[in-house]
Structures are given as structure tokens and as C-alpha cells.
Amino acid sequence: MNENAKQRLQVLEILYSVRQTNPKRGWLADSKLKEAMENQDIEFALGVLIETGHVHRNGYQLNITGAGVIACEAAQENYPRRAP
């Protein structure tokens, strides 16, 4: 998996976790997402995810869409995380 794909999956995983823990209000501020991503430049990854309908933006708030949830779960099945 290339670096851009890994970064997109990481963004989806963070937003997935937020939505899973709070299904009714699963929004995350983009500044908090960037902080969770250790201040990486995520504009390209985020732009692609928004364009493909995996992430929704409302001002500075982001959430994973249903399509994003399904894509995240499928990617995790195909590329399971290894324990450190």
C-alpha cells in the first residue's frame, strides 16, 4: 500500500473511531484530526476522501460517511494492522 493510501486509511480509521464511540454526534474538528495525525499534511488525503464521498465536511467539522465506514472496514480486512 502506498503512503497516500495509508494516510487516507489512517484518516478513515480515526473518523470511524469517533463515529463508533458517538454515533449521533460523530463529528471531529479538522484541527483535532490533524493533531491525531501527528500534524502531518493531510490536505491531499482529506480532499480525496471528501471528493469520493467517504468523508463529509461541514465548516471545520468532519465525519465519516456510510460509504467511508464500509471502505474502512473493507480495508482493515484486506490490510490488518500488525501488533507493535
Side-chain angles (χ1 to χ4, degrees):
M1 182 184 301
N2 75 37
E3 290 304 312
N4 288 325
K6 287 179 187 175
Q7 193 177 50
R8 289 192 305 273
L9 180 55
Q10 192 175 6
V11 167
L12 286 177
E13 288 174 338
I14 291 167
L15 293 175
Y16 182 100
S17 177
V18 169
R19 183 167 176 180
Q20 189 175 35
T21 57
N22 193 351
K24 293 183 181 182
R25 305 180 115 204
W27 293 87
L28 183 67
D30 58 3
S31 60
K32 294 290 184 185
L33 176 61
K34 189 164 185 156
E35 185 179 302
M37 295 285 296
E38 299 175 348
N39 293 315
Q40 296 177 50
D41 182 9
I42 60 170
E43 290 307 311
F44 178 76
L46 198 52
V48 170
L49 290 169
I50 290 169
E51 186 177 318
T52 59
H54 291 97
V55 172
H56 178 75
R57 178 189 289 274
N58 185 4
Y60 294 104
Q61 298 290 313
L62 302 162
N63 80 336
I64 190 169
T65 64
V69 167
I70 292 167
C72 184
E73 290 171 347
Q76 289 172 339
E77 287 178 15
N78 292 326
Y79 303 100
R81 297 277 180 184
R82 293 187 181 142

